[in-house]
mmCIF file of all heavy atoms in Angstrom:
data_model
loop_
_atom_site.group_PDB
_atom_site.id
_atom_site.type_symbol
_atom_site.label_atom_id
_atom_site.label_comp_id
_atom_site.label_asym_id
_atom_site.label_seq_id
_atom_site.Cartn_x
_atom_site.Cartn_y
_atom_site.Cartn_z
ATOM 1 N N LYS A 155 -11.781 7.440 16.403
ATOM 2 C CA LYS A 155 -13.217 7.163 16.539
ATOM 3 C C LYS A 155 -13.992 8.479 16.681
ATOM 4 O O LYS A 155 -15.084 8.633 16.127
ATOM 5 C CB LYS A 155 -13.483 6.238 17.725
ATOM 6 C CG LYS A 155 -14.934 5.850 17.840
ATOM 7 C CD LYS A 155 -15.115 4.580 18.640
ATOM 8 C CE LYS A 155 -16.538 4.095 18.566
ATOM 9 N NZ LYS A 155 -17.485 4.956 19.254
ATOM 10 N N LEU A 156 -13.426 9.437 17.376
ATOM 11 C CA LEU A 156 -14.070 10.751 17.487
ATOM 12 C C LEU A 156 -14.199 11.388 16.100
ATOM 13 O O LEU A 156 -15.232 11.969 15.752
ATOM 14 C CB LEU A 156 -13.239 11.676 18.388
ATOM 15 C CG LEU A 156 -13.181 11.330 19.878
ATOM 16 C CD1 LEU A 156 -12.191 12.230 20.598
ATOM 17 C CD2 LEU A 156 -14.557 11.470 20.506
ATOM 18 N N VAL A 157 -13.124 11.265 15.302
ATOM 19 C CA VAL A 157 -13.143 11.841 13.942
ATOM 20 C C VAL A 157 -14.245 11.176 13.111
ATOM 21 O O VAL A 157 -15.035 11.852 12.438
ATOM 22 C CB VAL A 157 -11.757 11.666 13.267
ATOM 23 C CG1 VAL A 157 -11.824 12.018 11.792
ATOM 24 C CG2 VAL A 157 -10.701 12.504 13.979
ATOM 25 N N LEU A 158 -14.325 9.867 13.206
ATOM 26 C CA LEU A 158 -15.333 9.141 12.415
ATOM 27 C C LEU A 158 -16.742 9.525 12.864
ATOM 28 O O LEU A 158 -17.625 9.768 12.041
ATOM 29 C CB LEU A 158 -15.125 7.631 12.551
ATOM 30 C CG LEU A 158 -13.812 7.101 11.982
ATOM 31 C CD1 LEU A 158 -13.656 5.618 12.273
ATOM 32 C CD2 LEU A 158 -13.746 7.319 10.487
ATOM 33 N N ASP A 159 -16.936 9.588 14.165
ATOM 34 C CA ASP A 159 -18.245 10.021 14.687
ATOM 35 C C ASP A 159 -18.594 11.407 14.144
ATOM 36 O O ASP A 159 -19.725 11.651 13.716
ATOM 37 C CB ASP A 159 -18.213 10.106 16.229
ATOM 38 C CG ASP A 159 -18.418 8.745 16.883
ATOM 39 O OD1 ASP A 159 -18.841 7.806 16.185
ATOM 40 O OD2 ASP A 159 -18.151 8.623 18.095
ATOM 41 N N ALA A 160 -17.608 12.308 14.177
ATOM 42 C CA ALA A 160 -17.878 13.710 13.812
ATOM 43 C C ALA A 160 -18.135 13.869 12.315
ATOM 44 O O ALA A 160 -18.754 14.843 11.891
ATOM 45 C CB ALA A 160 -16.700 14.589 14.234
ATOM 46 N N ILE A 161 -17.658 12.926 11.499
ATOM 47 C CA ILE A 161 -17.919 13.031 10.056
ATOM 48 C C ILE A 161 -19.174 12.244 9.670
ATOM 49 O O ILE A 161 -20.029 12.735 8.935
ATOM 50 C CB ILE A 161 -16.692 12.569 9.241
ATOM 51 C CG1 ILE A 161 -15.565 13.595 9.423
ATOM 52 C CG2 ILE A 161 -17.032 12.410 7.754
ATOM 53 C CD1 ILE A 161 -14.268 13.235 8.767
ATOM 54 N N PHE A 162 -19.290 11.034 10.168
ATOM 55 C CA PHE A 162 -20.402 10.177 9.723
ATOM 56 C C PHE A 162 -21.723 10.507 10.421
ATOM 57 O O PHE A 162 -22.760 10.630 9.763
ATOM 58 C CB PHE A 162 -20.049 8.691 9.930
ATOM 59 C CG PHE A 162 -19.246 8.132 8.798
ATOM 60 C CD1 PHE A 162 -17.890 8.407 8.685
ATOM 61 C CD2 PHE A 162 -19.842 7.357 7.801
ATOM 62 C CE1 PHE A 162 -17.141 7.931 7.621
ATOM 63 C CE2 PHE A 162 -19.105 6.869 6.736
ATOM 64 C CZ PHE A 162 -17.754 7.153 6.657
ATOM 65 N N CYS A 163 -21.704 10.631 11.731
ATOM 66 C CA CYS A 163 -22.980 10.702 12.467
ATOM 67 C C CYS A 163 -23.805 11.952 12.170
ATOM 68 O O CYS A 163 -25.023 11.840 11.978
ATOM 69 C CB CYS A 163 -22.737 10.474 13.960
ATOM 70 S SG CYS A 163 -21.974 8.858 14.233
ATOM 71 N N PRO A 164 -23.209 13.152 12.077
ATOM 72 C CA PRO A 164 -24.052 14.312 11.772
ATOM 73 C C PRO A 164 -24.667 14.242 10.378
ATOM 74 O O PRO A 164 -25.585 15.002 10.070
ATOM 75 C CB PRO A 164 -23.077 15.497 11.840
ATOM 76 C CG PRO A 164 -21.865 14.994 12.515
ATOM 77 C CD PRO A 164 -21.801 13.527 12.274
ATOM 78 N N GLN A 165 -24.167 13.345 9.501
ATOM 79 C CA GLN A 165 -24.673 13.278 8.129
ATOM 80 C C GLN A 165 -25.496 12.006 7.908
ATOM 81 O O GLN A 165 -25.568 11.495 6.791
ATOM 82 C CB GLN A 165 -23.507 13.336 7.136
ATOM 83 C CG GLN A 165 -22.601 14.552 7.360
ATOM 84 C CD GLN A 165 -21.526 14.685 6.302
ATOM 85 O OE1 GLN A 165 -21.791 15.153 5.196
ATOM 86 N NE2 GLN A 165 -20.312 14.289 6.616
ATOM 87 N N GLY A 166 -26.079 11.501 8.976
ATOM 88 C CA GLY A 166 -26.985 10.352 8.839
ATOM 89 C C GLY A 166 -26.298 9.007 8.902
ATOM 90 O O GLY A 166 -26.937 7.961 8.749
ATOM 91 N N GLY A 167 -25.009 8.988 9.121
ATOM 92 C CA GLY A 167 -24.288 7.721 9.182
ATOM 93 C C GLY A 167 -24.295 7.161 10.588
ATOM 94 O O GLY A 167 -24.763 7.804 11.529
#
Side-chain angles (χ1 to χ4, degrees):
K155 184 159 189 291
L156 291 173
V157 170
L158 295 175
D159 278 346
I161 291 176
F162 276 77
C163 301
Q165 306 185 79

